[in-house]
Amino acid sequence: MPRAANEVMQSILFSTVLDAVEALKGVAKGVPNNLLREIQRIHPNTTFEDLPPELQQAIATSVRAAFTRLLKEGYSVNPSGSAPPRPPVTRHGGPGGGGPRQGRGPGRGPRPGGGRPGGGGKPGGKPPRKPQS
């Protein structure tokens, strides 16, 4: 029975996190204080290059394994530029246009009062000044 994409991705991410923790433990060489220091060095602005080489290698390995696993589960992984092009959508109608107002009832014509719900005229602002005499 095929698994949902959500389940597959959750499993992949869980494995990746476990691999990353193991890599950090390896960097710390089993010393708890060193492990804590390595973890505290990671923050939201950390880049991939800022990570220890062992952790970089673990992440790279997990990414390769994730793609392999997705392919085995039957999901396709395409490069960003290889998706089939979609037909252009025009303003009136679906793909290819089909002309204005296709599939609609007769037009209603313009709204009374200039098309604005307040009766038209200038929107908002100050009323015009009366000339001084």
Side-chain angles (χ1 to χ4, degrees):
M1 179 171 162
R3 293 176 31 187
N6 188 27
E7 293 174 10
V8 174
M9 285 306 298
Q10 183 178 6
S11 175
I12 288 170
L13 290 174
F14 183 72
S15 298
T16 302
V17 169
L18 290 180
D19 292 343
V21 169
E22 286 300 315
L24 284 172
K25 285 181 179 180
V27 169
K29 297 178 177 71
V31 179
N33 287 344
N34 290 346
L35 177 61
L36 185 58
R37 277 191 208 105
E38 290 298 327
I39 291 172
Q40 287 178 337
R41 285 181 43 198
I42 301 171
H43 52 82
N45 293 330
T46 303
T47 63
F48 186 74
E49 291 78 25
D50 295 336
L51 299 174
E54 295 86 351
L55 183 55
Q56 290 179 12
Q57 182 62 39
I59 292 172
T61 303
S62 292
V63 168
R64 283 191 297 274
F67 279 110
T68 304
R69 189 165 179 183
L70 284 171
L71 291 172
K72 283 183 181 178
E73 292 284 337
Y75 294 97
S76 71
V77 181
N78 293 326
S80 62
S82 69
R86 296 186 349 200
V89 176
T90 61
R91 184 173 174 208
H92 299 289
R101 311 193 73 78
Q102 181 183 6
R104 293 183 180 177
R108 291 184 272 172
R111 281 184 166 173
R116 287 207 172 93
K122 292 183 180 180
K126 296 181 181 178
R129 294 179 113 186
K130 292 184 182 179
Q132 293 181 355
S133 30

